[in-house]
Amino acid sequence: MNSFTYHNPVKVVFGLGTLKQAGEEAAKLGKRALVVSYGDASVSGTLAKLKELLDAAGVVSQEFLEVTPNPPIEMVARGVDAAKAFGADLVVGVGGGSAMDAAKAIAAGVLYTHGDLWNMVYASHSNVTAQPPEAALPLLLIPTLPATGSEMNMCSVVSSTTRGQKSYIWADCLFAKTAILDPELTYSLPPFQTACGAVDAISHVLEIYINGQDESDLLHAWQLALMRTIVENLPKALANPSDPHARTELMWCATCGLNGWGSPGDAWTPMHQVGHVLTSRHGINHGSSLAIVMPAWMTYHKALKPARYAQFAVKAMGICPHGKTDAELADAGIAAFRDFIKASGGPTTLGEKGVTEADIPGIVEGVRTVSFNADGVLASNPPVTAEALAEILKLAL
Ligand code: NZQ
Ligand code: ZN
């Protein structure tokens, strides 16, 4: 196993019904809370309960309900203004990755001293222009959609509508002080969002499993078990949205999938960078973008690590290894992953989203602009060149 330094300071309160602890946890962090969430009905019940809990705990709150998916930096700026006008000393994010990431960016934006908020974002190919935030208001995060792991990591993904870009802010100050993970809050999720969240969580681990350390028994076993748990529990949650066991498993898997446990040390998520461009250029939501590019990327690279792919097939996708070579197992595992996505209602081709071969150069250019490193490739193991990316996208057509 490689050497690494690991740090994660997030206090996690986990379990069915734990939303009721939101008031007392918020009161430990501040007295005036800006509650950041979506403006429509999807989480309104949760927001109403939260307001009662904050009131009872003596925390004055104001709602900022302007979050939209792939949170635009312009909306974040309005949130910063709202937080300042209200005199917030705490930010509470309620929702999926978009709401939590908006809350994080707002909490940091209030104290940001390097000009334009977009300066916080790692969004140029050499990554030298970002001025990550150094401080943020305390954050309490309450996920309602298990997917991104934002609740327990130091990342916030934001978009710029004017620049047509989507990328990430990465800073220690973006760790929440506390995250309340109540699986009951996910019972209301529609099947599509449930499936997209599950594919996103699998992809976080799968990208790292394929890209990451070659020599680690524990990490590989852990990554495979996490993916298998999602594969087994997504169908149960789709069949019965209020299944407490399935919802609980999915929630903890999503959190653990991107809190660093599976990727101490070097880890790359190249297909996430491609997914961000599919979102910003073609409006494909995050989970769907990964559902489309992950199997194509795996197909392109499978011959380089046949044993790794074979293990994925057997231990994550449940393929019987009897009588099959590693190469056959690799094919079977990728096919099973595609079938799993299809059965969950997700797209597996660019064509389903109206993207054609003529769009590929623009997508490659979008990835190059935002995410290629100083060596002119997308960091990955092996690195993805522009030519390879174009081939991967063709496989996804
Ligand atoms: O718009 P409505 O109808 O309210 O629907 C909401 C929301 O728009 C719905 N929803 C959320 N919780 C619900 C619910 N509906 C019913 N019941 C509930 N309990 O879900 C819609 C999508 O929400 P969103 O927050 O956009 O979804 P997700 O959690 O997939 O987050 C995606 C965002 O997170 C970023 C993505 O790029 C994208 O911007 N990511 C953040 C990461 C991080 N911070 O570490 C890493 C990820 O890889 C990812 O990039
Ligand atoms: Zn993701």
Side-chain angles (χ1 to χ4, degrees):
M1 194 184 298
N2 297 350
S3 305
F4 60 84
T5 300
Y6 180 78
H7 170 71
N8 192 315
V10 181
K11 172 183 174 182
V12 175
V13 178
F14 184 90
L16 297 166
T18 49
L19 177 66
K20 64 178 179 294
Q21 295 179 50
E24 67 187 84
E25 292 299 335
K28 291 174 193 165
L29 303 176
K31 292 183 166 40
R32 294 179 70 79
L34 186 78
V35 176
V36 176
S37 191
Y38 319 107
D40 46 38
S42 66
V43 296
S44 57
T46 301
L47 292 175
K49 275 186 216 147
L50 176 65
K51 171 91 174 89
E52 281 173 21
L53 293 161
L54 293 174
D55 286 350
V59 177
V60 183
S61 63
Q62 178 173 298
E63 291 177 338
F64 176 74
L65 305 183
E66 294 189 26
V67 176
T68 48
N70 316 302
I73 200 77
E74 299 82 1
M75 177 274 293
V76 169
R78 292 195 298 281
V80 168
D81 290 344
K84 285 180 178 168
F86 177 59
D89 59 6
L90 163 67
V91 178
V92 182
V94 183
S98 299
M100 293 187 284
D101 288 358
K104 287 171 157 180
I106 290 168
V110 168
L111 303 179
Y112 195 58
T113 55
H114 300 289
D116 190 328
L117 293 179
W118 191 252
N119 294 340
M120 297 196 287
V121 179
Y122 284 91
S124 80
H125 70 275
S126 55
N127 282 350
V128 291
T129 53
Q131 287 272 4
E134 289 126 14
L137 294 178
L139 280 153
L140 170 64
L141 297 179
I142 306 178
T144 64
L145 197 176
T148 63
S150 180
E151 59 275 11
M152 202 179 166
N153 68 38
M154 57 192 279
C155 179
S156 165
V157 180
V158 291
S159 303
S160 165
T161 34
T162 50
R163 295 169 185 84
Q165 289 182 349
K166 180 178 180 189
S167 194
Y168 61 92
I169 311 168
W170 183 264
D172 266 324
C173 65
L174 296 184
F175 277 121
K177 293 277 185 256
T178 305
I180 296 180
L181 278 58
D182 181 347
E184 281 181 14
L185 306 185
T186 69
Y187 290 178
S188 58
L189 277 169
F192 179 70
Q193 295 295 355
T194 301
C196 284
V199 172
D200 186 23
I202 287 184
S203 299
H204 294 150
V205 179
L206 184 50
E207 289 221 59
I208 292 160
Y209 171 74
I210 290 171
N211 256 310
Q213 302 187 21
D214 290 326
E215 302 285 340
S216 177
D217 298 344
L218 174 61
L219 281 182
H220 289 169
W222 185 90
Q223 290 156 346
L224 290 162
L226 194 149
M227 292 189 278
R228 182 76 197 144
T229 304
I230 297 175
V231 168
E232 284 179 351
N233 282 284
L234 175 62
K236 295 179 192 168
L238 293 176
N240 174 13
S242 303
D243 179 334
H245 175 78
R247 290 295 194 186
T248 302
E249 294 290 333
L250 289 176
M251 185 161 241
W252 190 228
C253 280
T255 302
C256 296
L258 205 59
N259 66 357
W261 289 347
S263 57
D266 285 342
W268 298 283
T269 54
M271 291 306 108
H272 264 70
Q273 315 318 313
V274 180
H276 292 337
V277 174
L278 292 176
T279 300
S280 53
R281 287 181 73 93
H282 295 283
I284 302 174
N285 82 312
H286 185 61
S288 297
S289 72
L290 296 162
I292 292 167
V293 294
M294 288 293 295
W297 174 63
M298 294 169 80
T299 303
Y300 185 81
H301 281 307
K302 65 185 178 184
L304 295 175
K305 300 176 186 175
R308 189 89 57 94
Y309 279 83
Q311 288 297 296
F312 168 75
V314 175
K315 295 191 173 153
M317 299 312 303
I319 304 286
C320 172
H322 188 66
K324 298 189 186 76
T325 63
D326 279 357
E328 286 165 347
L329 279 172
D331 283 337
I334 296 168
F337 185 37
R338 261 205 192 93
D339 289 345
F340 167 77
I341 294 167
K342 276 190 201 155
S344 321
T348 53
T349 62
L350 288 168
E352 287 165 70
K353 293 289 172 184
V355 179
T356 67
E357 191 161 359
D359 296 311
I360 288 178
I363 298 168
V364 173
E365 182 55 19
V367 178
R368 194 198 63 74
T369 306
V370 176
S371 302
F372 273 24
N373 63 20
D375 295 330
V377 292
L378 192 51
S380 175
N381 180 16
V384 180
T385 62
E387 294 73 27
L389 179 53
E391 291 304 316
I392 291 166
L393 291 167
K394 276 185 203 159
L395 288 172
L397 284 170

